[in-house]
Amino acid sequence: DTGVSQDPRHKITKRGQNVTFRCDPISEHNRLYWYRQTLGQGPEFLTYFQNEAQLEKSRLLSDRFSAERPKGSFSTLEIQRTEQGDSAMYLCASSWDRESPLHFGNGTRLTVT
Amino acid sequence: DAKTTQPNSMESNEEEPVHLPCNHSTISGTDYIHWYRQLPSQGPEYVIHGLTSNVNNRMASLAIAEDRKSSTLILHRATLRDAAVYYCILTSYNTDKLIFGTGTRLQVFP
């Protein structure tokens, strides 16, 4: 069990560029979650997957955001046409099932200049 | 999901017990009480959870009021590494995600 891995740890991009983040969950965890966190706030739910199916998306997830989990293992979160308001920590978490605790990665910090 | 109320911040000295309160007056009978904490520059980590009875694990104890409208996370001997933001979260039987508030920032002094 190597924990939830996120890549990259930091990303600086210019406004208008596209960015993609990757999350590798704990092996055999069926559920995978994406959260966003800004300074001084708790993590905000974005979306989650049960295996490869995306079951819920927050209203925070505008049409510029898309997430995939193609084979039910790793997941990617893409932000198109980034805006300065997208600057945040993007956290990924995984769990075995709904009742199991979430295991979080250490996040990808995005800075949009 | 029912909401929780936590103090914004608390302080403790090293080696002393810490009692972190959480109010959840609108909790329903099937809501679980979860605690997570977030150390600086890390993602949140699970601490403990319970339904009605008090719970103990290697990290902490969870004391749940008899009417379940409040709970307390107890760190028996605070260390500097316990300095973190602690989140109290309720989940119901049909909850598919955790909804975080702003938590309690715990400072531990040597």
Side-chain angles (χ1 to χ4, degrees):
Chain A
D1 179 358
T2 57
V4 176
S5 177
Q6 294 189 245
D7 183 70
R9 287 299 309 275
H10 304 273
K11 178 69 176 178
I12 300 174
T13 191
K14 292 185 177 180
R15 190 176 54 186
Q17 297 296 303
N18 299 343
V19 294
T20 300
F21 310 140
R22 177 180 170 121
C23 171
D24 287 273
I26 292 173
S27 178
E28 298 184 355
H29 273 192
N30 296 315
R31 291 197 163 210
L32 187 147
Y33 300 78
W34 284 99
Y35 282 80
R36 181 174 68 185
Q37 186 174 28
T38 54
L39 197 63
Q41 302 298 313
E44 296 174 295
F45 170 78
L46 293 179
T47 188
Y48 88 93
F49 294 82
Q50 170 81 28
N51 299 314
E52 66 275 10
Q54 188 173 16
L55 296 186
E56 186 174 347
K57 291 167 56 172
S58 164
R59 292 172 299 170
L60 295 173
L61 216 63
S62 76
D63 56 5
R64 297 184 297 106
F65 288 70
S66 62
E68 294 182 341
R69 194 183 183 197
K71 296 183 180 180
S73 56
F74 73 92
S75 176
T76 58
L77 177 68
E78 180 183 17
I79 309 174
Q80 295 183 326
R81 306 181 303 282
T82 52
E83 302 173 354
Q84 286 189 320
D86 297 331
S87 295
M89 176 74 80
Y90 290 83
L91 293 162
C92 176
S94 69
S95 69
W96 175 248
D97 57 23
R98 172 145 49 92
E99 286 75 34
S100 302
L102 268 60
H103 296 258
F104 282 83
N106 287 330
T108 293
R109 181 168 295 284
L110 173 66
T111 302
V112 182
T113 61
Chain B
D1 292 312
K3 291 192 174 181
T4 63
T5 304
Q6 300 179 253
N8 289 332
S9 63
M10 291 186 65
E11 297 177 352
S12 175
N13 294 318
E14 204 174 7
E15 305 290 317
E16 290 183 355
V18 181
H19 291 232
L20 296 163
C22 181
N23 288 320
H24 28 79
S25 58
T26 60
I27 192 171
S28 72
T30 56
D31 286 348
Y32 279 83
I33 303 158
H34 298 254
W35 284 83
Y36 282 73
R37 71 178 185 181
Q38 188 171 20
L39 280 64
S41 301
Q42 295 187 24
E45 67 173 337
Y46 168 79
V47 178
I48 200 167
H49 78 282
L51 182 62
T52 56
S53 304
N54 294 344
V55 185
N56 300 294
N57 67 19
R58 65 175 179 81
M59 291 181 69
S61 295
L62 176 61
I64 302 172
E66 199 167 331
D67 64 3
R68 300 208 330 123
K69 294 185 176 182
S70 66
S71 61
T72 302
L73 180 70
I74 302 167
L75 307 179
H76 295 285
R77 291 179 64 193
T79 70
L80 296 178
R81 289 174 295 178
D82 291 322
V85 178
Y86 287 78
Y87 298 98
C88 171
I89 304 166
L90 300 184
T91 62
S92 64
Y93 70 95
N94 60 354
T95 300
D96 288 310
K97 57 188 180 289
L98 297 178
I99 305 296
F100 289 81
T102 52
T104 297
R105 181 173 298 278
L106 175 66
Q107 290 182 285
V108 181
F109 297 104

